């Protein structure tokens, strides 16, 4: 295995985009993995490592020859909206970047994640300084995903109950990278390091538009799938065996390496798992052996580049890589089951009536209204003339009031027109676990619920709504017996049209 396996829609994007840019497809592929992993990190988790985010970090080292910026060559912005900040070099700049990402998320413009690009090294007197310890601490712990802290002067930047989703796609000069290896070993080991290799510029041809041209739709579908289902990415048996064999193969050989090289390679299995999960999410499946193979090809390239930059003897590096190659190839793929939807525990526990009135969170209402310009249930758009605007209403699935009030969060909200809002609140419309709108009076399936890619609706609240009205809404047979003729209805109170 001497080249990177460009797999799935991310590989197709890299192959098609590099034409005429002077960038290697392998390097653009690695950059795309960083971008994609950060974009879906708020939605996807690894089953064997749920406390850590899916984010893949990488630094690209540029030698004497100037190389085109990788971030500018990526064309994923329209598919996975993500807040990107260049040259974050201090803890205050990091806090400001997090606040920008969090504000964009609250307003419905981007995911709750941020990608750091450029360089984190201050340039002082032509000699790059080390990464600030006040910056390195929270950045490193964002990679770990636990024991996260926020400095007091920007504690408002993000919620403190979980670390922010931070991605790294640094493009460094050789001088900056040398300070990286000297002074920042903790962050150094959490980052894949690639040595940039300028590729020959070729004229762009318009001959092929298929099958690779299908990758934008594939990634758009995968992005929507991730935020709809919040997948917990499990491993097939072959993938588990490959990862386990890979870890064993690296344990003994690392002792012969210098300290810094050993520090980098100690996390190679972590990089392998995250990249394999990122590739599996782009294909909407669980982690298979082929995803581990493709992930290892990328980690292998980074390992060779890192050992070369650290001037480790080639014979030692090749022997280590050969053992890991053998460990990965020793396991064959035998099973390819599809990943199930995430399981949600449904346990309704009625609580005492709360005497405290809940305060509505206007930010979540604004966000959901920006996502929709029509009703999620019926698809109708209501225009108002003065001032001219589209009118919708935010409907809570589990009401804020009552014996068991629900939370005022985006997972418990729908964007409906007035008619559907009234029908839903009174049980005339219900939604099943497949997000199909049902007429509760007749049992008829009406239409699938319209769902924005970033709008995750918890099935727990849908089940609460159905259970709440199931005992009060008549069955279709009972409805038939309640239908009256015009003569029978004379003198009787009309049935309410819910």
């Amino acid at each position: 295995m001497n080249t990177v396996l460009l797999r799935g829609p991310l590989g197709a994007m890299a192959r098609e985009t590099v034409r005429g840019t002077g960038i290697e497809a392998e390097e653009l592929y690695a950059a795309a993995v960083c971008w994609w992993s950060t974009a879906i990190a708020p939605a996807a988790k690894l089953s064997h490592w749920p406390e850590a985010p899916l984010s893949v970090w990488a630094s690209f080292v540029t030698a004497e020859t100037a190389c085109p910026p990788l971030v500018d060559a990526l064309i994923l912005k329209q598919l996975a909206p993500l807040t990107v900040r260049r040259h974050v070099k201090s803890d205050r700049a990091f806090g400001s970047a997090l606040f920008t990402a969090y504000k964009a998320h609250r307003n419905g413009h981007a995911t709750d994640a941020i990608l750091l690009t450029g360089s984190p090294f201050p340039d002082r007197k032509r000699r790059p300084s080390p990464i600030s310890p006040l910056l390195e601490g929270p950045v490193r712990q964002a990679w770990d995903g636990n024991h996260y802290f926020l400095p007091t002067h920007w504690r408002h930047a993000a919620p403190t109950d979980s670390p922010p989703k931070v991605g790294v796609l640094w493009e460094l000069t050789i001088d900056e990278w040398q300070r990286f290896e000297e002074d920042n070993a903790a962050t150094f080991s959490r980052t894949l390091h690639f040595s940039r290799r300028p590729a020959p510029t070729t004229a762009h041809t318009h001959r092929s538009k298929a099958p690779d041209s299908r990758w934008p739709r594939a990634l758009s579908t995968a992005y929507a799938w991730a935020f709809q289902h919040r997948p917990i990415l499990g491993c097939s048996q072959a993938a588990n065996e490959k990862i386990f064999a890979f870890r064993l193969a690296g344990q003994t050989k690392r002792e012969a390496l210098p300290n810094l090289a050993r520090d980098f390679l100690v996390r190679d299995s972590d990089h392998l798992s995250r990249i394999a999960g990122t590739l599996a999410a782009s294909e909407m499946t669980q982690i298979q052996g082929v995803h581990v193979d493709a992930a290892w090809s990328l980690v292998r390239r980074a390992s060779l580049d890192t050992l070369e930059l650290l001037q480790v003897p080639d014979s030692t590096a090749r022997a280590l890589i050969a053992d890991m190659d053998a460990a990965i190839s020793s396991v064959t793929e035998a099973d390819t089951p599809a990943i199930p939807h995430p399981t949600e525990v449904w346990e309704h526990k009625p609580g005492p009536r709360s005497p405290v009135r809940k305060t509505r969170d206007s930010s979540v209402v604004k966000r959901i209204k920006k996502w929709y310009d029509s009703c999620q249930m019926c698809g109708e758009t209501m225009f108002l003339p003065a001032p001219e605007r589209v009118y919708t209403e935010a409907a809570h699935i589990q009401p804020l009031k009552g014996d068991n009030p629900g939370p005022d969060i985006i997972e418990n909200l729908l964007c409906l027109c007035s008619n559907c809002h009234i029908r839903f609140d009174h049980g005339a419309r219900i939604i099943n676990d497949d997000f199909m709108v049902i007429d509760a009076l007749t049992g008829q399936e009406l239409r699938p619920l319209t769902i924005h890619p970033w709008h995750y609706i918890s099935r727990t609240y849908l089940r609460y709504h159905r259970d709440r009205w199931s005992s009060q809404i008549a069955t279709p047979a009972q409805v038939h017996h309640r239908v009256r003729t015009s003569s029978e209805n004379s003198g009787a109170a009309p049935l309410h049209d819910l």
Side-chain angles (χ1 to χ4, degrees), residues 378-400:
C378 66
E380 295 291 334
T381 303
M382 181 184 296
F383 293 97
L384 297 182
E388 186 174 345
R389 68 190 187 278
V390 174
Y391 179 79
T392 55
E393 297 179 355
H396 288 85
I397 304 172
Q398 182 173 343
L400 293 181

Side-chain angles (χ1 to χ4, degrees), residues 4 26 29-30 33 194 275 294-303:
V4 174
E26 294 181 358
Y29 177 65
V33 168
F194 296 92
I275 296 173
W296 164 236
S297 71
L298 200 57
V299 175
R300 187 183 193 278
R301 158 76 186 265
S303 300

Side-chain angles (χ1 to χ4, degrees), residues 303-318:
S303 300
L304 288 173
D305 286 357
T306 304
L307 295 175
E308 181 180 350
L309 288 167
L310 293 174
Q311 298 181 353
V312 175
D314 187 66
S315 58
T316 304
R318 294 290 174 181

Side-chain angles (χ1 to χ4, degrees), residues 40-72:
I40 64 172
K45 294 181 180 180
L46 298 174
S47 62
H48 58 283
W49 200 8
E51 70 277 5
L54 197 63
S55 305
V56 178
W57 292 7
S59 66
F60 298 86
V61 185
T62 304
E64 297 178 0
T65 306
C67 297
L70 289 167
V71 176
D72 295 343

